[in-house]
Amino acid sequence: MTVENLLFFAKGHIHSDHAKILIAELLNCNPLELLNHLNDEVSSEKVELLKKEIKALEENKPLQYVLGHINFYGNDFYIDERVLIPRFETEELVENTIKYINEFFTNPVDIIDLGTGSGVIGLTLEKKVSTNSVDLIDISKDALEVTNINCGKLNSKANIIESDMFSAVNKKYDVIISNPPYIDPEEPIEDKVEKYEPALALYADHHGLSCYEEILEKVSYYMKKDSVLAFEIGYLQKDPLISIAKQNLNDREISVEQDMSGRDRFLIVTPKKKQL
């Protein structure tokens, strides 16, 4: 079967863009280059693999899981159904955190990524800023297996630690960052998210606030004098989270920043600015 035949077949089952992406992945080329390969023959093994991938997409499996990898902040990460699919908003969390690291620190920093999942947050920060250490924390053994794969892909020296938040942690950090589960179990979500993405990484009790509550109640013990704390949050969680943060960290600056869509998305805690 030629590439042209394969494209025609795939487009009869799935979105044209997805067809091009899957076939380009199969041929190890850019989707924009497919027109240069229309007459190339494709092996029967690759044809069968494509048919399986098409079937998975028809069953509403997310494209990222079908491909088995995702680009996050310029790096290629392995992912599968053991971990959450990283979203663009999480890239914004990393971007904002890099800004604050550059503002408050001149020396290499110690970073902890709580609920690391695939490791995209902590591993990206390790690539983008000067670090003493990066600790990648998750309660899920399955998720940490994915983290370990990505550490290998990126030649990372990060520490992988199985822990329920801070329970196995005994040091202080310059940067504490987390995109924890924050969806209310009663909140309706997209079918394919509910079906394929791990519930442990999605849902939190107390209307989605329980992980933030646990972290904020203990975090002061793990913060240095000038630490930066950065959370991704649900866009309706601003007010209760500011209140919880103030109860536990009233000696620091607390703010909420919006994402590119104009929604409240990031809780940022920084050192108090000195009064002139």
Side-chain angles (χ1 to χ4, degrees), residues 111-143:
I111 297 174
I112 185 170
D113 175 8
L114 291 166
T116 191
S118 57
V120 295
I121 293 174
L123 292 175
T124 301
L125 289 176
E126 184 184 33
K127 286 283 186 183
K128 296 299 181 180
V129 301
S130 179
T131 62
N132 278 322
S133 67
V134 177
D135 291 347
L136 307 176
I137 309 294
D138 210 291
I139 194 174
S140 167
K141 290 181 188 293
D142 288 340

Side-chain angles (χ1 to χ4, degrees), residues 111-179:
I111 297 174
I112 185 170
D113 175 8
L114 291 166
T116 191
S118 57
V120 295
I121 293 174
L123 292 175
T124 301
L125 289 176
E126 184 184 33
K127 286 283 186 183
K128 296 299 181 180
V129 301
S130 179
T131 62
N132 278 322
S133 67
V134 177
D135 291 347
L136 307 176
I137 309 294
D138 210 291
I139 194 174
S140 167
K141 290 181 188 293
D142 288 340
L144 291 179
E145 289 175 2
V146 177
T147 311
N148 189 52
I149 292 170
N150 285 321
C151 283
K153 283 172 66 72
L154 274 69
N155 296 313
S156 169
K157 296 180 180 179
N159 306 303
I160 298 174
I161 302 170
E162 183 183 345
S163 177
D164 184 0
M165 295 304 181
F166 290 116
S167 63
V169 176
N170 56 10
K171 61 185 273 192
K172 293 181 182 289
Y173 297 89
D174 300 293
V175 179
I176 298 172
I177 189 166
S178 183
N179 176 24

Side-chain angles (χ1 to χ4, degrees), residues 6 11 15 34 67 77 79 93 98 100 105 121 139 162 170 185 188 197 199 202 207 234 243 250 271:
L6 212 53
K11 288 179 181 180
H15 191 280
L34 284 178
L67 293 173
F77 288 88
I79 62 164
L93 172 68
I98 291 171
Y100 285 109
F105 304 101
I121 293 174
I139 194 174
E162 183 183 345
N170 56 10
E197 299 198 53
L202 291 170
H207 306 294
S243 176
N250 63 2

Side-chain angles (χ1 to χ4, degrees), residues 1 8 27 51 77 101 114 131 136 161 232 250 261:
M1 185 179 286
F8 182 79
L27 302 177
K51 288 180 178 178
F77 288 88
I101 291 172
L114 291 166
T131 62
L136 307 176
I161 302 170
E232 183 174 327
N250 63 2
S261 301

Side-chain angles (χ1 to χ4, degrees), residues 2 8 24 41 48 88 92 104 107 110 128 138 168 225 255:
T2 66
F8 182 79
E41 288 289 332
E48 288 306 309
F88 179 68
E92 292 184 68
F104 287 100
N107 296 320
D110 294 301
K128 296 299 181 180
D138 210 291
K225 180 181 177 182
S255 63

Side-chain angles (χ1 to χ4, degrees), residues 4-126:
E4 185 173 19
N5 296 145
L6 212 53
L7 271 169
F8 182 79
F9 170 77
K11 288 179 181 180
H13 292 267
I14 58 177
H15 191 280
S16 173
D17 289 344
H18 290 174
K20 293 175 184 176
I21 290 170
L22 288 183
I23 294 172
E25 184 90 4
L26 209 61
L27 302 177
N28 195 28
C29 71
N30 189 297
L32 298 175
E33 298 173 348
L34 284 178
L35 289 177
N36 300 326
H37 298 277
L38 292 179
N39 294 320
D40 291 1
E41 288 289 332
V42 181
S43 69
S44 58
E45 291 84 3
K46 289 185 176 180
V47 171
E48 288 306 309
L49 176 58
L50 180 69
K51 288 180 178 178
K52 289 179 181 178
E53 292 175 338
I54 289 171
K55 185 173 186 295
L57 286 181
E58 287 183 312
E59 293 172 352
N60 218 21
K61 187 173 184 176
L63 177 65
Q64 296 90 336
Y65 287 150
V66 175
L67 293 173
H69 67 95
I70 190 170
N71 183 283
F72 183 90
Y73 214 88
N75 288 302
D76 189 65
F77 288 88
Y78 172 79
I79 62 164
D80 61 27
E81 292 168 63
R82 291 174 289 181
V83 295
L84 202 67
I85 298 170
R87 267 66 169 184
F88 179 68
E89 291 83 1
T90 308
E91 288 188 303
E92 292 184 68
L93 172 68
V94 170
E95 176 73 21
N96 289 342
T97 304
I98 291 171
K99 176 184 70 176
Y100 285 109
I101 291 172
N102 290 333
E103 177 180 348
F104 287 100
F105 304 101
T106 55
N107 296 320
V109 293
D110 294 301
I111 297 174
I112 185 170
D113 175 8
L114 291 166
T116 191
S118 57
V120 295
I121 293 174
L123 292 175
T124 301
L125 289 176
E126 184 184 33

